[in-house]
Amino acid sequence: SYVLTQPPSVSVAPGQTARITCGGHDIGGKSVHWYQQTPGQAPVLVVHSDSDRPSGIPDRFSGSNSGNTATLTISRVEAGDEADYYCQVWESGSDHYVFGTATKVTVL
Amino acid sequence: EVLLEQSGAEVKKPGESLKISCKGSGYSFNNYWIGWVRQMPGKGLEWMGIIYPDVSKTTYSPSFQGQVTISVDKSIDTAYLQWSSLKASDTAIYYCARRGGGSRSYFPFWGQGTLVTVSS
């Protein structure tokens, strides 16, 4: 089955930029979605279809996808961005959904 | 407003059966896929399976095939996740999530989660 690999943790100072990667074989050919989960809360979609933002998500959140790596970028990081982040894809061939291994973003 | 309201926390013993629910409102329930996602304590999100309510078409993750059953009751806009014989390792938070429409393969809407604790 398809595997999505994320770094376990990313640390960033307030106001700086955090980049979270999601690696998968030829992931550039798939549509990648990103979720933010804070403790005790359900996940929230922050980027879909590689780089689109749902309404209400700040433009500080952006995404890209090419080759074997998709990236979620959080610009001008704030304390409230501290959370776990997951990438997700849909495998059309098997009709299965896959989540990445999660990245914990710590704001220093 | 799209809402997914999940049933309350459960405490069960190993070997017992369980059915938890997810009621959709604010949209046409029959026409959107609803998935179930497991989150074990301190762990990540795992996709379990998904159902299309209108025709009850269901797809399961290989990891969960045969371990759980996903169903719907269209008359009350509710999806279910059930176990026939729980194990301690089923202890987790279970989320339902509604997929986007059409070809949108992401989940914009999530329930609040149901905590299932299995302990003797």
Side-chain angles (χ1 to χ4, degrees):
Chain A
S1 58
Y2 197 72
V3 176
L4 295 174
T5 302
Q6 300 179 230
S9 62
V10 167
S11 297
V12 59
Q16 299 305 302
T17 298
R19 293 180 179 84
I20 304 162
T21 58
C22 175
H25 180 67
D26 287 338
I27 196 173
K30 300 181 184 298
S31 191
V32 180
H33 320 300
W34 293 90
Y35 302 84
Q36 175 195 67
Q37 187 181 33
T38 52
Q41 300 299 312
V44 173
L45 181 72
V46 292
V47 166
H48 68 82
S49 310
D50 295 342
S51 58
D52 292 338
R53 278 186 314 278
S55 60
I57 301 300
D59 61 5
R60 300 185 298 103
F61 290 84
S62 61
S64 62
N65 184 20
S66 179
N68 292 315
T69 305
T71 303
L72 174 69
T73 300
I74 311 173
S75 305
R76 305 182 300 281
V77 166
E78 302 173 357
D81 298 331
E82 194 162 274
D84 292 327
Y85 291 83
Y86 297 86
C87 55
Q88 177 250 312
V89 300
W90 173 59
E91 279 200 286
S92 58
S94 60
D95 197 18
H96 290 168
Y97 299 76
V98 181
F99 286 98
T101 50
T103 298
K104 181 175 182 59
V105 169
T106 299
V107 181
L108 301 171
Chain B
E1 181 191 11
V2 174
L3 288 176
L4 297 173
E5 186 67 30
Q6 296 188 232
S7 49
E10 301 273 1
V11 179
K12 292 288 193 179
K13 290 181 168 40
E16 292 185 332
S17 62
L18 176 65
K19 193 173 190 177
I20 63 175
S21 65
C22 170
K23 181 173 175 59
S25 62
Y27 71 98
S28 176
F29 180 80
N30 288 359
N31 301 123
Y32 291 85
W33 293 85
I34 288 187
W36 287 94
V37 176
R38 182 176 79 174
Q39 188 166 40
M40 299 176 75
K43 302 299 184 183
L45 304 176
E46 300 173 88
W47 174 71
M48 302 176 70
I50 197 165
I51 189 165
Y52 190 72
D54 194 37
V55 294
S56 289
K57 176 176 164 55
T58 311
T59 305
Y60 292 92
S61 161
S63 299
F64 294 93
Q65 179 83 49
Q67 307 305 307
V68 297
T69 301
I70 295 171
S71 61
V72 294
D73 183 337
K74 293 189 293 182
S75 68
I76 55 172
D77 294 347
T78 300
Y80 299 98
L81 177 66
Q82 70 180 88
W83 296 258
S84 59
S85 180
L86 286 160
K87 305 186 263 297
S89 58
D90 292 318
T91 295
I93 296 173
Y94 293 87
Y95 293 101
C96 63
R98 200 208 82 176
R99 212 187 92 150
S103 61
R104 301 173 183 83
S105 59
Y106 50 88
F107 298 94
F109 304 103
W110 292 69
Q112 81 275 24
T114 295
L115 174 62
V116 174
T117 304
V118 184
S119 174
S120 54

